Amino acid sequence: MVTAAGLSGWRGWLTLKQQELGRAQPALDATPAQPSAASRIEMADLKERIRKLEAIAAGVDL
């Protein structure tokens, strides 16, 4: 129960951060900028953490 609540909070925090990142990008740019290597690595790390937390919440042993 506590794990499910923690996972829900984590997802909410990630959604908030994604919205903040979306607002930080300039809207006037005609061509979309390619994400930097650091941001791609950070997103991959966050996705891996989410995958692990979901596995823990589901009771799967990694």
Side-chain angles (χ1 to χ4, degrees):
M1 189 68 110
V2 174
T3 304
L7 182 59
S8 175
W10 176 254
R11 286 181 178 162
W13 182 83
L14 286 177
T15 302
L16 174 68
K17 290 299 176 183
Q18 286 176 340
Q19 290 174 353
E20 287 178 358
L21 287 173
R23 277 189 242 129
Q25 295 177 353
L28 299 176
D29 195 14
T31 59
Q34 295 294 325
S36 69
S39 66
R40 288 194 308 258
I41 291 170
E42 185 176 351
M43 286 302 291
D45 182 49
L46 290 174
K47 287 178 182 180
E48 180 67 18
R49 288 181 185 185
I50 290 171
R51 186 188 66 78
K52 287 180 181 180
L53 286 172
E54 287 174 341
I56 291 170
V60 175
D61 187 23
L62 298 173

